[in-house]
Amino acid sequence: MGSVIKTVTYYKTAFWETKGFHGSCIVIDDTEPVNFILNDTKPDGSYPALLSYIPGGKAISWNQKSSEERKAALCKLYSKIFKSEDALQPINYLEFAWIGTPFIGGGHSPFYPPGVITGYARYVLINVYFCR
């Protein structure tokens, strides 16, 4: 199984929308904990939230830090990306570290060695996320 930490950061308002951002983006920076951010606000606009995954080797190193350290790093990143100090003031933060959970041994994304997808593609569901 893959190494991953899932995070959801809740805010009072969807501040990113007032700045003209959708809330979902790809992060191309190896120094940051996440590779992408998704707007997880409910369809009716309630519970404004940003969802991120800390993947792979990043999950291994960030798992050594506290939940508060991960939260602070993510809020700082969100503030930088969405150009808003509001990102530094979440009203709630939740995370689940599959990597540190006994008897699970990893995250939601298993490692597929060569030949698995090409040999079993019709049996494997692959989720693809597109940003607008």
Side-chain angles (χ1 to χ4, degrees), residues 31-53:
T31 65
E32 298 296 351
V34 299
N35 292 355
F36 61 91
I37 301 164
L38 298 171
N39 182 346
D40 196 38
T41 305
K42 303 304 170 238
D44 66 0
S46 63
Y47 305 102
L50 296 172
L51 179 145
S52 292
Y53 291 99

Side-chain angles (χ1 to χ4, degrees), residues 126-130:
I126 300 172
N127 292 316
V128 179
Y129 297 98
F130 294 95

